[in-house]
Amino acid sequence: MFFKKLPRELRDRIYEFVSPEQHWSMDEKVGRVTELDLLGSMGDLGGFYFPLAAESGILAVNRQMREEAMPLAYRTTSFELEDIDEVVKLLLGIGYIGRQNIESLAFGWQSNSETKFTWDEAPGKLRREDLDTAKVTFEDTGFEDPFLTLPIIHVETCLQLLKQCGRLTHLRLKFEKELIDFITLDAFKANAGVRGLSSIRGFARVEFWSSDQEPLDQEKDILKWLKECLESLVL
C-alpha cells in the first residue's frame, strides 16, 4: 500500500487534514456508549477499541491507521458528559491512549447514582448525615434542599483518572446554580472532593456552567478561587 511507504511525518499531516474537530457525548447517537461497547473497550487497557464518533472514518480503515491517528482523534474531540459517573466510565474506557491525549472535557460535578440512592433511601426527607458527609449543611448554604450537595461517590476515582490526562487543557465544570449561590467559601473548600479537584493544576482554560447549560457568574468567590487553583501552574 502506497500510504504505508510515506514518511510518518507526512502521514501525520494527512491525519490532521482528515480528522475534523467534533463533539462527543453519551447522549448523542453518534457517540453513544452501550454497556456492551463499554465492557468491550475496557478489556483493552490502551483504549484502542473505544468507539469514537462515526465521523472519524480514518479510524476504521485498518489497524495501522487507527493506531497512528487515534491520538489525534482524541485531541480534536471535545467530550461532554453528564456527571462524575460518566467521566469514570469514559476515562476507563478510552484507556491510556485516550487519557494521554484528551484535551477538552465538560461534565457535571455531581453523581446521578448518588442522587438516586439518596432519594431511594429517604425520598423527600431531610438526612442530616448526608449533608454532614458532603461537608455542606443548611447553615452553610441557607438552602432548604438536602439533595443539593457536593458528590462523594466515585469522586476519588474520577480525580485519579483526571490526573492521568496530561494534555487536558480545557475543562468545563457544571454545578447546580442554587448550590453555588448559597454555599459558603469555607464549606466549599472543606469538601474533600473539591480539595482534591483544586489540587489538579495547569489547565489553560476553566469554565463553570450550570446544569441548565448556562454560564455561571465566574466572579463568584468560590468559582474564582477554584478557577485560580486549576489554572495555576504549581501548588
Side-chain angles (χ1 to χ4, degrees):
M1 182 179 178
F2 174 74
F3 187 80
K4 292 182 178 179
K5 299 179 180 179
L6 295 175
R8 177 60 189 268
E9 294 79 7
L10 184 55
R11 296 203 301 273
D12 287 343
R13 291 293 302 275
I14 294 174
Y15 294 143
E16 291 178 8
F17 282 114
V18 298
S19 297
E21 293 187 0
Q22 55 191 345
H23 179 268
W24 192 101
S25 165
M26 288 276 195
D27 296 327
E28 293 180 354
K29 185 177 180 181
V30 295
R32 187 171 181 81
V33 174
T34 65
E35 291 299 322
L36 181 61
D37 290 331
L38 180 63
L39 292 174
S41 64
M42 287 176 64
D44 166 48
L45 298 180
F48 185 80
Y49 294 103
F50 188 83
L52 280 170
E55 284 85 346
S56 301
I58 190 70
L59 301 179
V61 176
N62 58 45
R63 184 181 180 87
Q64 178 190 356
M65 295 180 74
R66 181 176 179 86
E67 185 176 70
E68 294 179 347
M70 179 164 271
L72 181 62
Y74 280 113
R75 295 172 197 170
T76 56
T77 300
S78 60
F79 292 86
E80 182 169 4
L81 306 168
E82 186 172 350
D83 68 345
I84 288 174
D85 305 342
E86 289 191 352
V87 173
V88 170
K89 291 178 182 179
L90 173 76
L91 295 182
L92 286 174
I94 63 179
Y96 63 82
I97 294 176
R99 292 194 295 274
Q100 289 175 352
N101 289 282
I102 186 173
E103 294 186 352
S104 179
L105 178 63
F107 66 94
W109 190 252
Q110 62 188 34
S111 168
N112 289 339
S113 60
E114 182 175 341
T115 300
K116 182 179 184 303
F117 173 78
T118 304
W119 276 109
D120 289 345
E121 285 293 299
K125 296 179 181 179
L126 168 62
R127 287 170 53 90
R128 172 68 67 175
E129 60 269 30
D130 292 333
L131 297 174
D132 290 342
T133 303
K135 295 294 190 293
V136 181
T137 67
F138 284 134
E139 289 76 14
D140 294 325
T141 64
F143 194 73
E144 298 182 357
D145 188 339
F147 301 102
L148 282 176
T149 61
L150 294 166
I152 305 169
I153 296 177
H154 298 153
V155 169
E156 184 61 31
T157 302
C158 177
L159 294 175
Q160 292 300 321
L161 290 169
L162 286 175
K163 291 176 181 179
Q164 298 175 32
C165 300
R167 295 182 65 97
L168 184 57
T169 56
H170 175 214
L171 181 66
R172 175 182 292 174
L173 294 172
K174 292 175 279 188
F175 292 92
E176 290 290 344
K177 184 178 184 302
E178 292 85 353
L179 178 63
I180 296 302
D181 285 342
F182 288 99
I183 189 173
T184 66
L185 179 59
D186 288 342
F188 193 66
K189 288 183 176 181
N191 177 263
V194 171
R195 288 199 306 272
L197 177 64
S198 68
S199 70
I200 305 176
R201 308 298 174 93
F203 294 99
R205 181 160 60 103
V206 176
E207 304 173 38
F208 302 109
W209 286 51
S210 72
S211 300
D212 296 325
Q213 302 289 9
E214 295 290 337
L216 293 170
D217 181 3
Q218 310 294 301
E219 294 302 314
K220 291 280 293 186
D221 56 354
I222 59 175
L223 298 183
K224 189 174 182 179
W225 167 79
L226 184 55
K227 181 179 177 70
E228 290 175 353
C229 290
L230 295 170
E231 292 184 349
S232 65
L233 296 180
V234 294
L235 286 171

